[in-house]
Amino acid sequence: MVKTQAGSRFVGGADYAALNEHSVRDFLSPLPVAASLIGGEPSVWTVREVGDGNLNLVFIVKGTKGGVVVKQALPYVRMVGESWPLPLDRAYFEHEALKIQTLAAPNLVPKIFHFDTMQAAIVMELLEPHLILRKGLIKGLRYPKLAEDMAAFCAQTLFRTSDLGSPASEKRERQARFSHNITLSKITEDLVFTDPYRVSDMNRWTTPQLDKVAAAIRDDAPLKLAAQELKWMFLTRGEALLHGDLHTGSIMATIGDTRVIDPEFAVYGPMGFDLGAFMANLLLAYFAQAGHASKEDDRVAYRGWILDTLEAFWLGFETRFLALWQQGGAGDAFLPALFADDVGGVAMDAYRAMVMTQMFHDAVGFTGAKMTRRILGLAHVEDLESIVDPDQRAACEKRALRMARTLMVGRKAIPSIHALREMAEALVMEHIA
Amino acid sequence: MVKTQAGSRFVGGADYAALNEHSVRDFLSPLPVAASLIGGEPSVWTVREVGDGNLNLVFIVKGTKGGVVVKQALPYVRMVGESWPLPLDRAYFEHEALKIQTLAAPNLVPKIFHFDTMQAAIVMELLEPHLILRKGLIKGLRYPKLAEDMAAFCAQTLFRTSDLGSPASEKRERQARFSHNITLSKITEDLVFTDPYRVSDMNRWTTPQLDKVAAAIRDDAPLKLAAQELKWMFLTRGEALLHGDLHTGSIMATIGDTRVIDPEFAVYGPMGFDLGAFMANLLLAYFAQAGHASKEDDRVAYRGWILDTLEAFWLGFETRFLALWQQGGAGDAFLPALFADDVGGVAMDAYRAMVMTQMFHDAVGFTGAKMTRRILGLAHVEDLESIVDPDQRAACEKRALRMARTLMVGRKAIPSIHALREMAEALVMEHIA
């Protein structure tokens, strides 16, 4: 029996049981998708458990017609074990967020077929031949539509759920709902904004190479202040419904298709948080490239492509978000009728540009926080972890940490995404020179 | 039968009926307070309905021992009528907020004796010989403890419910609850931040004296932008549980005692909103003094006392809020352990000072918005309404509107509460000279 956290939706219960490669067949067989999408008798289906994330079970079930994915929440953190319990209601929040994202960005999330409250399980589209983006970036694959698709995903989901895109009545109700996603939000609050900056059993880093760097960061008052200021922003600024964990492991892609998965950390927060999460993980991929270079491919052109993507992402986001705002949303903030005359229009355009600049600075700060936590905190990224030589890995990590500090402490001094790109280039050039 | 809004707590129901001077006896007689606090047979009690607010019924019930107050929500806006329905669950939010304020500032709110969900009614302490502060300010009464008490109320309630004073788990749950106070929040959103800046049937002003001023404000793009920016802050920045309607009509006072009542608009929002509400209403009282001058009392010294109170309020708030923060709260933002060394301590002190400056600028902006809406919007203040001569009233109102505009558009350029005081003085001096 699994209890859910107080105050949030009831998910799981006496009949909850972690699915396995056998029981998932019984779970699926009564559902319409069994006939329409999988096909054939359950006994002939192939089932693979592929969850490589930190928290859940993920089954790929295939039959004669095709297949589906079943994602089930476990009552504890998978990567740590039963000693770290985690409420099953995160499956509820993931499903709710997916429904909202489906409305805002229909072609950029997986299709949802079924949600089972008792088993805390979501049945969704099997994305094939999609690869987790992070793995593609490690392999050196290029995704020509990635920047544009992620710009569209962020602009459309953030705008639509904000007070620019939703009436206050709808937004307040939605914010109330997701405010109950307390335990997963707390993981973000601790692991992203606090633990990397203090002694914590859960931290780890490339040792001994980064020992001194990690110690210096624990003594770096301006950096800790920046981290806690970003945490306060995360806690207080309910600007839009965030995906909440928008790293490159939460994106599945082919050359021509991009899908965002796993929004179980969804909560209202500052828009810059999602933007920064994606930007941080592109930058981590960039700084890791030196560790993936080979005689055949020095990865120089490829790391340039990653920065092209970073730049195109931000510029695409800005353009799309501004366009949505100029078209006028259903929100209660900045009612278009108040600024319908020429003077109002000019004033409003100037104001929108200022808001985008502020959002950029927010995103830059969160980018730095998300980079730091992946090097000094609990959860690392395969981009860096897969670099076998610890000296080489540490060298990449040190460059990333230097950049991250500048982004966090000096975020308001960074004038543009191009300047940010040049900073990343200079850090790698410096090393080569 | 009265339905409540979707998503919020169930209040009212089939048996709900507006109380009257007879039925309130039946309502009270089964309660313990009937014997312990009122005393005597219900038939000998005296009952007076004294609700002079805009929304509710308020009964004073007295017996042989003493008395109580019964406040009951009506299913419509009292000042407008049944054509403007209003959910009864606001009584739930008021009661919830009163419980939280009682913990944070126990001697500055009325004691609560009973909450009746079905009747949407709160039984609370009868405050005698307290007077509504606004009426005292019109009479020219001085309250030597007012600044200090209101500074304490704001510092303690805002700090305690913020991410400095409450763990995130508790704060997110509380924010979720109050996010359902959607209808009353919408009244604030519309009446404070939008209606005064557009043509609306619900607006009124001293006419024809202010017709041109009102029209100019509807064409004032920078001012409308400032108003909508403040609205966006109100919608997004969940910094603390606000009282939500902290004007001088929500305060009952004697020379030695101050109590804050009527928190039915409670919602998470920017701390500056409550601070600005109180400051705005002091300034409206100040600008109205010329209209209350008589041969016996030119009110010059008294209006100086109002500004002394304004200044002492802000400085007292700042001192108390900083002291609470320095002591260290139970919140998840700016964990004290991260800044425990000397360098961290100095950095944190500098940061706290910067936060107080930002909060001041927020408060200044909300002060301006709250002043404007009381002159051009639906709900006016007795301070100005009681000035019989419309020319004199309009002259006071114009000075207040001029100040309000500067506070909204130029809030970040106002360096201190003393500078704000001097601005108010100069506006009155200018008129005399």
Side-chain angles (χ1 to χ4, degrees), chain A residues 163-164 168-169 171-173 175-176 179-180 182 185-186 189 194 197-198 221 224-225 228-229 231-232 234-239 267-268 271 325 332-335 338-339 343-344 347-348 351 354-355, chain B residues 163-164 168-169 171-173 175-176 179-180 182 185-186 189 194 197-198 221 224-225 228-229 231-232 234-239 267-268 271 325 332-335 338-339 343-344 347-348 351 354-355:
Chain A
D163 286 297
L164 305 171
S169 56
K171 186 254 183 158
R172 286 194 187 277
E173 192 286 328
Q175 182 167 14
S179 288
H180 289 296
I182 290 171
S185 298
K186 173 79 172 158
E189 292 149 21
T194 302
Y197 307 93
R198 66 177 172 189
K224 289 189 286 186
L225 213 41
Q228 290 290 299
E229 185 179 47
K231 184 181 188 180
W232 204 16
F234 180 76
L235 285 163
T236 56
R237 289 196 3 208
E239 295 172 354
V267 72
Y268 264 78
M271 304 195 208
W325 195 354
D332 275 319
F334 302 100
L335 295 178
L338 286 176
F339 305 98
V343 178
M348 198 60 229
Y351 185 81
M354 192 201 69
V355 169
Chain B
D163 286 296
L164 305 171
S169 55
K171 185 254 183 159
R172 287 195 186 277
E173 192 287 327
Q175 181 167 14
S179 288
H180 289 295
I182 290 171
S185 298
K186 174 79 173 157
E189 291 150 20
T194 301
Y197 307 94
R198 66 177 173 190
K224 288 189 286 187
L225 213 41
Q228 291 289 299
E229 186 179 44
K231 184 181 187 180
W232 205 16
F234 180 75
L235 286 162
T236 56
R237 288 194 5 206
E239 295 172 353
V267 72
Y268 264 79
M271 304 197 208
W325 196 354
D332 274 319
F334 301 99
L335 294 179
L338 287 176
F339 305 98
V343 179
M348 199 59 230
Y351 185 81
M354 192 201 68
V355 169

